[in-house]
Amino acid sequence: METPTQAGAQSAGGYGLRRDALSPMETLAQSVSTIAPTTTPAATIPLVCALAGNGTWLAYVLATAAILLVALCISRFARYSSSPGSLYTYASMILPPSLGATAAWSLLLAYIATGSSVIGGFYHYANLLLHDATGRVASGVFLALLVTAISIGIAWRDVKISARLMLWIEAVSVTLIMTVVVLVLVRHGLHLDWTQLRLRGMTGSGLRLGLVLALFSFVGFESATTLGAEARNPLKTIPRAVIQSALLAGAIFILCAYTEVLGLRTVGQDLGKSEAPMRVLASVGGVPVLGLLIDIGVLVSMFAGTLACITAAARVLMLMSHNGLAHGSLRTTHARHETPGRAIVVTGIAAVAPVAVLAARGASGLDVYGWMGSLATYGFIVTYALVCVALPRYLRDHAAYRPGAQIIPWLAFAAMLLALFGNLYPVPEGPYGKLPFIYLAYLCAGMLWFFLQRRREEAPPTES
């Protein structure tokens, strides 16, 4: 009978996880799958276009620049340190314990809520395809539980199988999308779309709000850092994966944003109001069958994103358990599979629970995708900002500080503050206006646990 073993009982620093299990490409796959680049052209770019209009491409250019600043900061940390806690570890090494705990709880929420978001997207696209094929739809609750159960099983079984599966899923899906994009551009001819490039009709407020949504397309690009105990040569492969995922995603999103606005305009449709933009774009490109294949690819990409988020969140939760920020039982790893089984189950349940409740109340999959994705953005922005602030001192401690080394961290920090402000003001309408309070309530609960644990540790032992 298989039994778990306490993490840390394995080789030093291994936390009971499988050492040197993942190749550079498999490590990159973790970040790429958490981004889920296939979902952005189908679900996020239309939302950005509804706000930024002809400035959609510019919103993605600015978002790419901001994310690259953060990626440069994270990659510097990753050159010197590798652990399952990723950004939480980087922040806690330098910042006061309370800010380190803030980064930990924020990052955990970010991965779990992103998982919830793509679970919502999964049941939306699953029902879209089912309706096309049979005229019927399945229960959203059932589909959400199904994709989560499968993801938990794969994440528990083998991190290597998980990474390889995510890599192939995203590679095929992105290839289909880029094929359609190239065909549309070829049909349009070798001339520029000056309506977009001159930003006709774009407003400053629309660009600002669109930029915030564009940033959501990138969240999770750093999740390769959660594989610090499992990647081969992590001090080299992880920094490269962080930069490569940000650059790759940025290039794809900018090109798709430009092409989607152009392609739908040629057939008299508004991208901001389109429910199936890639199907329309495939028809414009002269290959309508690829529209259906891309929708299937989006569905599978949502599954890959669920798997990637559970994989990342479980490793953060495991390290939080090691450091007293979560229950001690969550630090255990499986003796044979060398995966944090209990943390995987807990994070999987945490990801699917709000989706199941919302689906049972009749919420659409795209609404869940938007709500939970926006909630995740708060956690990511706060964590990114804290990591950027910590970098200059970290470089000094490692004798790697150079004149001007504060420029990029502070620029990245400023970009994250602007993104946070863009999320909060003007106050969003409807459910989106409640998300900041949900995040703050969650963070307060996490910090209360932190202070109670600290107080317990500092209390003098009682005499018998």
Side-chain angles (χ1 to χ4, degrees):
M1 179 178 179
E2 297 172 5
T3 58
T5 180
Q6 287 290 334
Q10 309 286 334
S11 58
Y15 298 96
L17 300 171
R18 185 172 301 172
R19 304 288 292 178
D20 301 325
L22 301 176
S23 69
M25 284 301 293
E26 290 164 343
T27 304
L28 175 63
Q30 172 64 30
S31 281
V32 172
S33 297
T34 309
I35 297 171
T38 309
T39 66
T40 287
T44 311
I45 288 178
L47 297 177
V48 176
C49 182
L51 295 167
N54 284 317
T56 302
W57 67 271
L58 180 58
Y60 274 97
V61 168
L62 296 175
T64 301
I67 288 298
L68 279 175
L69 289 173
V70 176
L72 289 171
C73 295
I74 294 172
S75 67
R76 292 302 299 273
F77 273 105
R79 292 180 190 177
Y80 300 98
S81 173
S82 63
S83 80
S86 64
L87 306 190
Y88 153 47
T89 303
Y90 304 156
S92 62
M93 286 189 296
I94 299 299
L95 300 176
S98 59
L99 290 180
T102 299
W105 287 108
S106 295
L107 186 62
L108 181 64
L109 173 71
Y111 286 136
I112 289 175
T114 301
S116 300
S117 175
V118 291
I119 292 171
F122 178 89
Y123 83 71
H124 168 78
Y125 273 93
N127 274 329
L128 186 68
L129 292 169
L130 279 173
H131 186 269
D132 287 347
T134 67
R136 299 180 180 181
V137 296
S139 163
V141 175
F142 169 75
L143 292 172
L145 293 174
L146 178 65
V147 69
T148 305
I150 295 172
S151 298
I152 288 174
I154 295 174
W156 180 306
R157 177 67 180 84
D158 191 338
V159 68
K160 193 173 184 67
I161 293 174
S162 170
R164 285 179 175 175
L165 180 62
M166 292 185 292
L167 179 63
W168 284 107
I169 288 172
E170 291 298 339
V172 172
S173 301
V174 170
T175 299
L176 290 175
I177 288 176
M178 296 313 296
T179 299
V180 170
V181 166
V182 170
L183 288 173
V184 171
L185 293 176
V186 169
R187 287 204 161 199
H188 184 257
L190 298 176
H191 55 276
L192 298 174
D193 181 12
W194 290 106
T195 301
Q196 284 193 75
L197 296 180
R198 290 171 178 164
L199 306 175
R200 187 172 299 170
M202 186 199 77
T203 64
S205 60
L207 177 63
R208 176 175 59 82
L209 294 173
L211 174 59
V212 173
L213 279 174
L215 284 172
F216 173 62
S217 296
F218 292 87
V219 294
F221 77 95
E222 79 304 322
S223 66
T225 59
T226 64
L227 303 178
E230 295 155 285
R232 296 175 198 161
N233 198 4
L235 300 184
K236 289 186 178 180
T237 58
I238 289 177
R240 290 175 185 169
V242 169
I243 298 295
Q244 288 168 351
S245 61
L247 284 172
L248 179 64
I252 291 172
F253 297 159
I254 292 168
L255 185 59
C256 286
Y258 173 85
T259 306
E260 285 183 54
V261 173
L262 169 66
L264 269 74
R265 189 193 304 123
T266 61
V267 292
Q269 293 194 29
D270 182 358
L271 174 61
K273 299 178 180 178
S274 177
E275 294 183 356
M278 294 311 300
R279 290 192 183 186
V280 177
L281 208 64
S283 296
V284 173
V287 283
V289 66
L290 289 187
L292 175 61
L293 294 177
I294 288 172
D295 280 349
I296 295 172
V298 172
L299 174 70
V300 181
S301 181
M302 295 288 188
F303 161 69
T306 304
L307 177 57
C309 289
I310 291 174
T311 298
R315 281 148 181 79
V316 174
L317 183 59
M318 185 194 73
L319 192 63
M320 289 173 64
S321 176
H322 272 276
N323 295 338
L325 288 177
H327 195 275
S329 65
L330 297 173
R331 72 184 64 178
T332 59
T333 55
H334 199 279
R336 175 180 295 183
H337 304 319
E338 297 176 283
T339 55
R342 292 183 182 177
I344 286 170
V345 172
V346 168
T347 53
I349 292 172
V352 76
V355 182
V357 171
L358 290 170
R361 294 173 63 89
S364 74
L366 285 183
D367 281 341
V368 174
Y369 177 83
W371 297 335
M372 300 307 297
S374 296
L375 179 61
T377 304
Y378 290 108
F380 279 116
I381 287 176
V382 169
T383 308
Y384 292 162
L386 290 173
V387 169
C388 293
V389 167
L391 180 59
R393 181 179 167 186
Y394 184 81
L395 294 177
R396 287 192 185 94
D397 291 348
H398 287 80
Y401 188 83
R402 300 289 183 273
Q406 294 192 41
I407 295 176
I408 289 179
W410 284 112
L411 283 175
F413 177 71
M416 293 302 100
L417 282 186
L418 289 174
L420 185 61
F421 178 76
N423 265 292
L424 298 175
Y425 183 82
V427 177
E429 298 179 358
Y432 289 93
K434 300 176 182 178
L435 296 179
F437 301 102
I438 293 174
Y439 169 70
L440 288 175
Y442 161 86
L443 190 59
C444 287
M447 296 307 294
L448 178 61
W449 173 272
F450 165 74
F451 286 118
L452 288 175
Q453 289 296 100
R454 291 264 296 187
R455 186 174 180 180
R456 189 176 305 164
E457 292 172 1
E458 295 171 357
T462 56
E463 295 183 3
S464 55

